[in-house]
Amino acid sequence: MPSIASRAKGCLAQLGRLVGLLEEPDQELIGLSATEVVDTLGRFRIWAANIGALQDIHTKSSLAYRLRDAPKIARQITELLDELAESLEDGVRDRYAKAAAAAITNPFNDQFDICHVEHKFPTLRKRNDRWLIDRLGRAVTQRRQYLKYCREHHDKTAKEPPSAEPGTLVMRNLEASSQMPTTLIPSARMIEEVVEDTQSQTSYATSTDEENSNATLSVIKLEEVSKGFKQFECPYCWQIQTARNQKAWKKHVLSDLKPYVCTFEDCELKLFSDRHTWFSHELKDHRQEWRCYFCSHYPFENSDSYQRHLASHHPESFVKAQLPALLEMSQKALSKLSPTDCPFCDDWEQRLRIINPHIPATEALAVTPSQFQHHLGAHMEQLALFAIPRGYTEEGEADSGNAAPQIDS
């Protein structure tokens, strides 16, 4: 679990990033001024230094060492630091909005990326999911605009005289913080519920083939970017990073690219920077079922069919005024999903049966929400990485087949 010191260093780094963001044009998009954030940065540095928040627990003067016998207080401090980090991250995210605004005069041609999605995932076309093809393609184009905006801003500021304003060098003076890699395990809120006896027998896949997928794009190696330094400049967002291993570095790159989009048509295009937030959204707002409050009837796919069941089977069990509360009580996130629900590929169930031979062919095959999230997310990560032109991390313009054409103004 990340320590108090790593959290405090993370907040310090985020404040430095926010200072840099607010020095850009159109800072009113965030509703803060650079002066206010620089002042906050200074006060946070003083607090952290005086209380020993940046020191490791092995140092006796550190805050973590002094709170080693007071876990409740230590937990409160870590929760406050987590809340601060989340709020700061919300401010940094506005770069995508700025990139979209900057691209109005010279936008990328999104048809290039839409065609790529259709070519890479022909199953989308077979399922007649034209809207999802368009959404995924435009999301790739948004990422290209973001990368272009960040690089151009970096090149512009690199030519300007260095600023002596407080806080601008804080990022380069940080020691490397320990970032824990994301572990893909089922969340407590995703634990499978008991399946009613009235349902047909279903078996869960115990093994998946994600490690052997045909994915061809991967995040550039950490050592190629860091050059052996503890602190280095990310070639995508151009902020100072302190990732210690490939998993932490990959997590940062994917966070920059915001790989995940909602896969339901009645939801607006929004990019999510992490799998958990994206799939929690889908489970909460879309991947739902309704379990009868009064009997063991199999779950209903929508509220309309559940209401018809209530009206025909349990009309005396409730009054009309109780219906909204009853619907809410009966609505649950899906506890299992079918591999055939993946919109990107049509052979996942077949591949799962090959590596799970213990499951009889006569039984339905299901995967957990965590497995489905990992599989679906991996498809979208491939599209997100496609937005990075080959040779992008080299000096000068990228010469790449992945470079989408721009529309002449």
Side-chain angles (χ1 to χ4, degrees), residues 233-250:
E233 200 169 37
C234 171
Y236 308 124
C237 68
W238 299 100
Q239 304 295 326
I240 300 300
Q241 301 300 319
T242 56
R244 288 193 173 191
N245 53 55
Q246 185 67 21
K247 287 186 177 180
W249 167 237
K250 178 182 178 181

Side-chain angles (χ1 to χ4, degrees), residues 4 41 63 74 82 88 121 125 139 141 162 171 173 189 254 260 270 312 317 329 349 362 366 385 401 404 409:
I4 290 178
L41 173 60
L63 178 60
D82 285 342
L88 292 170
F121 298 111
R125 185 176 65 251
T141 304
M171 293 293 295
N173 294 329
R189 71 193 74 179
L254 293 178
Y260 315 105
K270 179 183 178 182
S312 61
S317 301
M329 291 170 56
E349 179 176 6
T362 55
L385 292 171
S409 55

Side-chain angles (χ1 to χ4, degrees), residues 114-127:
I114 291 173
C115 288
H116 170 71
V117 173
E118 190 168 12
H119 174 75
K120 184 172 181 61
F121 298 111
T123 301
L124 289 169
R125 185 176 65 251
K126 293 177 186 177
R127 294 165 60 108

Side-chain angles (χ1 to χ4, degrees), residues 390-406:
R390 290 190 296 271
Y392 185 83
T393 56
E394 300 171 2
E395 293 296 329
E397 294 296 322
D399 179 15
S400 168
N402 289 4
Q406 290 186 281

Side-chain angles (χ1 to χ4, degrees), residues 1-4 6-7 74-75 78-79 82 178 180:
M1 182 178 179
S3 63
I4 290 178
S6 64
R7 283 180 166 91
R75 184 169 61 252
T78 57
E79 289 174 353
D82 285 342
S178 58
M180 298 296 289

Side-chain angles (χ1 to χ4, degrees), residues 183-192 204 208 210 275 278-279 283 334-337 348 367-377:
T183 303
L184 296 171
I185 57 176
S187 168
R189 71 193 74 179
M190 293 181 178
I191 294 177
E192 293 76 27
Y204 285 87
T208 61
E210 301 309 304
R275 283 183 182 179
W278 152 65
F279 205 67
L283 286 174
L334 290 176
S335 59
K336 64 176 182 177
L337 297 100
W348 190 26
V367 294
T368 65
S370 179
Q371 290 171 328
F372 194 86
Q373 167 191 315
H374 189 278
H375 173 84
L376 201 61

